[in-house]
Amino acid sequence: MGWNGEQIRIRAKELGTSFTELAQSLNVSRVSLNNWAKGQSPKGSYLVALCRALGVGPDYFFTPEQLPVTVPMHRTRRRARVTKQMQEAANELVAGYVNLFRKAPDPGLVPVLRIEERTEQNALKMALQFREMSGVQESQPIDYKHAFDLLDKLGIVVIFRTFPKEIKGYAFYCTINRHRVVFVNTATHLLDLIFPLLHEAVHALRDERGTTYDDEEEKFCDMVANFIQFPDGYVAQVARMLNGKQDAQRIALLRRISEERHHSLFGIAKRLEAYGIKLPTKAVGGADTNLKKHMNRTVGKVLFRSDDAVSYIEILSELSPRFITILSKSLSSCTDRKFGEWVDLDNQIDSSMARQALESKLALA
Amino acid sequence: MMMLIRISPEMIRDPKYECATVQAVRREVFGTRKFKDKYPWRTDFKAHLKAVSPSKLDPLVLDVVKQVSEEHINASEDNAPFRLSPEDKEVAAFAASNGWEVGTGDKGLQDFLDQEFDIKSHSALEVLNIWLKKKVIAWTQEMDKVLREWAEQREKPQPQDAKKLFAKLTGKKYPGP
């Protein structure tokens, strides 16, 4: 938004008040009032008095400015629908970072992948390019390091936050001041983490085309993400391991594989159908839930595992170096609580210590 | 507040101290684990730390605080935008609504209060000095013990001027950070 002093004249005229009378009622000089009308924004205490004198709220004087933010909400957990409340909650969460990104270095040129037709063949083609960028070995599933390295190479800033209850999702993609940003819910289970990261990364690259989000686009991004995470070679390997076994044995084995390779059972279970292995959905769901309960590790628990500020900053720096770089530009000018809000710390003790830890880290660099 | 409450448990309840706290701060003190770990005795003072009534907050002032904190820049910080959290804004709005000064060591909030509302901020020791000067309290061994614990708990270092004034008012050396 920008200060629009002309509104003072308009409102004063509506009320039949002269500038002289207005200045007197505000106990300011006519010169000061004229300066405000010409574009100088008054300080807070004067703005309060001005609003009271003219019977309007402060937003009356500020011109709505197009925020350099797009927040397309489109991916939810399970069957949750994208609602107006969810969109508003996401917008509000992102709005808290606009000032942070105002000082961020320009993102410059970022990789783009232009594919028009949303076919399986094109999804595979895209997935191969992503996999090559991630540095993962052929026939290996994408692991956490590959996923985060990939997002970094794509110029995507990853921000971890505890999502408000209205946002029923693992992660969502947005742009802030031309930066590609993926917000990750700290409540996301580790086994559910990689797939949404990849899904949002695909959105980020296709967003360059001004793509509008719809069901077909969601399915296409899911397809690409699935191919990225589970290459054919890996799926074939798992299929061979499950071949010839009873359903119960298959589920147990798939559960063990999922735990070792850090992915949920669902994503790969669907792909196994192409190899003639159809597992009962309810049993897969049950095993998936049990595995997650057994592991009991969310993103938040990993971030806070050592419960001290220095470790927290170290882990954040490893997972999201771009975010740390952007934060470093604003360290001297934010309050402890604002810093805490940006890095998802809920109290001033932690945020003060984390800020000091980051300052020390930057001083050593 | 947590630095001062053990020196003057009645600092919020007794009007002679002229202090208040807001719900956002109270929520943080009693609702977060970190405060529980750092100040395990805080629940002893739960009844002493009643938040000021929401009726003391002027909604117009809160709207203005929200607007200017997003729109204006901090002249003391190389014209960087102000970066206040929702809790900071609530504290600022209560202070501006009632003409109160603020106890905070946070520079960002201090700059905002000063630039936008000419509101003075005080560190914990500065608040203590105000009470000492007004003879609301006097130096005691217990006070000395708590001030030493400020250093042990790694509370923020206090301004040099405040340390000198403390020594002048009490005749004792300031033992804290």
Side-chain angles (χ1 to χ4, degrees):
Chain A
M1 289 201 185
W3 172 258
N4 183 4
E6 189 54 32
Q7 293 291 97
I8 301 176
R9 289 193 201 283
I10 293 170
R11 184 62 183 160
K13 197 173 173 185
E14 277 173 11
L15 295 174
T17 305
S18 71
F19 253 43
T20 306
E21 284 166 342
L22 183 56
Q24 273 173 359
S25 73
L26 294 171
N27 203 21
V28 300
S29 67
R30 182 70 204 262
V31 170
S32 294
L33 189 59
N34 273 333
N35 286 338
W36 298 349
K38 283 180 196 166
Q40 187 183 78
S41 178
K43 68 180 184 183
S45 53
Y46 285 132
L47 182 54
V48 171
L50 187 64
C51 289
R52 259 198 252 282
L54 296 176
V56 294
D59 55 323
Y60 179 81
F61 299 105
F62 289 90
T63 308
E65 193 183 291
Q66 185 68 24
L67 273 182
V69 169
T70 56
V71 188
M73 284 301 292
H74 50 87
R75 166 57 62 190
T76 62
R77 263 196 329 265
R78 299 197 186 119
R79 293 204 179 96
R81 288 183 303 115
V82 176
T83 61
K84 187 173 162 229
Q85 287 78 14
M86 198 186 295
Q87 185 69 65
E88 282 171 359
N91 287 347
E92 199 182 315
L93 188 110
V94 173
Y97 288 82
V98 170
N99 268 344
L100 173 65
F101 278 83
R102 280 207 170 113
K103 255 198 159 181
D106 191 280
L109 289 173
V110 287
V112 169
L113 284 177
R114 301 187 193 283
I115 283 179
E116 295 291 347
E117 282 188 73
R118 295 185 282 215
T119 61
E120 189 174 316
Q121 200 179 9
N122 280 339
L124 244 173
K125 212 162 114 184
M126 234 183 138
L128 282 172
Q129 291 182 61
F130 272 98
R131 282 184 60 84
E132 202 178 303
M133 239 188 269
S134 77
V136 68
Q137 279 182 2
E138 203 180 325
S139 298
Q140 294 300 307
I142 289 269
D143 208 330
Y144 301 116
K145 183 165 172 12
H146 302 126
F148 284 105
D149 282 353
L150 176 61
L151 263 67
D152 189 61
K153 282 182 185 153
L154 295 173
I156 295 172
V157 180
V158 177
I159 299 180
F160 299 96
R161 278 295 296 263
T162 307
F163 283 7
K165 62 181 185 330
E166 291 85 359
I167 306 179
K168 298 183 194 325
Y170 301 116
F172 69 86
Y173 158 72
C174 67
T175 60
I176 306 175
N177 218 15
R178 301 199 318 117
H179 288 263
R180 294 165 166 170
V181 182
V182 169
F183 281 89
V184 177
N185 193 349
T186 56
T188 301
H189 195 284
L190 284 190
L191 293 183
D192 292 324
L193 177 60
I194 295 174
F195 187 83
L197 283 178
L198 299 175
H199 176 101
E200 299 308 327
V202 177
H203 268 306
L205 263 67
R206 286 179 61 71
D207 186 43
E208 295 299 316
R209 301 284 289 155
T211 313
T212 52
Y213 296 100
D214 56 28
D215 274 344
E216 288 308 309
E217 182 66 14
E218 286 304 294
K219 282 177 190 159
F220 183 71
C221 291
D222 270 347
M223 206 177 355
V224 178
N226 194 284
F227 284 142
I228 300 170
Q229 187 172 14
F230 304 121
D232 275 338
Y234 175 65
V235 180
Q237 191 183 30
V238 173
R240 279 195 296 275
M241 290 167 76
L242 300 186
N243 216 4
K245 293 186 168 54
Q246 300 292 320
D247 274 350
Q249 282 177 299
R250 284 173 166 180
I251 299 277
L253 186 53
L254 190 60
R255 182 192 145 128
R256 209 185 73 217
I257 293 167
S258 298
E259 189 175 1
E260 282 166 16
R261 304 315 292 259
H262 307 136
H263 57 75
S264 75
L265 278 76
F266 277 117
I268 193 165
K270 198 79 187 126
R271 292 281 298 282
L272 286 167
E273 288 178 17
Y275 291 84
I277 297 183
K278 181 136 175 57
L279 298 166
T281 311
K282 219 170 162 182
V284 170
D288 194 76
T289 304
N290 284 338
L291 177 58
K292 283 171 189 165
K293 270 189 193 154
H294 164 73
M295 283 181 68
N296 194 22
R297 293 194 83 200
T298 61
V299 169
K301 284 186 176 159
V302 169
L303 288 171
F304 291 106
R305 66 169 174 250
S306 297
D307 197 31
D308 80 271
V310 174
S311 304
Y312 186 74
I313 291 299
E314 283 302 325
I315 295 168
L316 264 190
S317 302
E318 218 175 287
L319 295 177
S320 190
R322 285 180 186 271
F323 182 48
I324 293 295
T325 302
I326 290 168
L327 272 176
S328 69
K329 306 286 180 212
S330 293
L331 265 186
S332 62
S333 58
C334 64
T335 62
D336 281 346
R337 283 198 178 94
K338 189 64 185 176
F339 179 80
E341 188 188 315
W342 283 335
V343 298
D344 201 41
L345 292 170
D346 69 353
N347 67 86
Q348 200 177 9
I349 296 171
D350 276 336
S351 48
S352 175
M353 288 177 64
R355 188 183 180 172
Q356 283 171 46
L358 182 54
E359 282 167 349
S360 304
K361 186 179 167 69
L362 294 170
L364 287 171
Chain B
M1 186 169 68
M2 300 314 287
M3 291 164 76
L4 293 167
I5 192 73
R6 281 188 302 154
I7 294 174
S8 300
E10 295 302 318
M11 63 180 276
I12 301 296
R13 290 205 295 205
D14 191 331
K16 73 181 179 188
Y17 292 98
E18 297 180 291
C19 284
T21 190
V22 301
Q23 192 54 33
V25 171
R26 197 174 185 278
R27 238 185 341 253
E28 191 179 41
V29 168
F30 294 107
T32 62
R33 200 180 51 78
K34 244 334 161 21
F35 268 83
K36 179 183 170 186
D37 290 344
K38 188 170 181 180
Y39 308 110
W41 40 261
R42 84 214 179 296
T43 46
D44 296 344
F45 299 97
K46 201 165 186 178
H48 295 75
L49 295 175
K50 211 175 160 197
V52 68
S53 164
S55 65
K56 289 279 189 185
L57 178 63
D58 185 334
L60 171 61
V61 173
L62 181 61
D63 284 345
V64 168
V65 164
K66 284 178 179 174
Q67 195 86 58
V68 300
S69 65
E70 297 298 321
E71 295 294 330
H72 289 180
I73 49 180
N74 186 349
S76 312
E77 274 297 330
D78 201 25
N79 291 333
F82 284 111
R83 296 190 168 101
L84 305 187
S85 70
E87 292 80 15
D88 296 323
K89 291 171 191 173
E90 191 177 320
V91 166
F94 267 101
S97 296
N98 298 280
W100 295 338
E101 295 172 357
V102 175
T104 178
D106 199 303
K107 191 173 180 305
L109 184 53
Q110 288 171 350
D111 289 346
F112 178 80
L113 290 165
D114 180 45
Q115 179 175 305
E116 297 298 330
F117 293 96
D118 298 312
I119 287 174
K120 280 175 81 169
S121 306
H122 304 283
S123 69
L125 183 58
E126 284 167 343
V127 173
L128 188 62
N129 284 342
I130 290 171
W131 293 343
L132 286 165
K133 206 169 176 186
K134 287 184 174 178
K135 297 194 188 333
V136 169
I137 55 171
W139 185 92
T140 59
Q141 283 282 7
E142 181 59 27
M143 183 190 294
D144 191 78
K145 180 171 166 270
V146 172
L147 294 176
R148 282 176 202 285
E149 284 173 14
W150 284 8
E152 286 160 24
Q153 283 176 330
R154 293 199 196 154
E155 300 293 359
K156 277 192 176 147
Q158 299 299 297
Q160 276 302 118
D161 288 347
K163 293 179 191 177
K164 286 179 189 164
L165 181 58
F166 177 86
K168 194 176 166 189
L169 290 168
T170 60
K172 308 282 181 190
K173 191 180 171 199
Y174 166 72

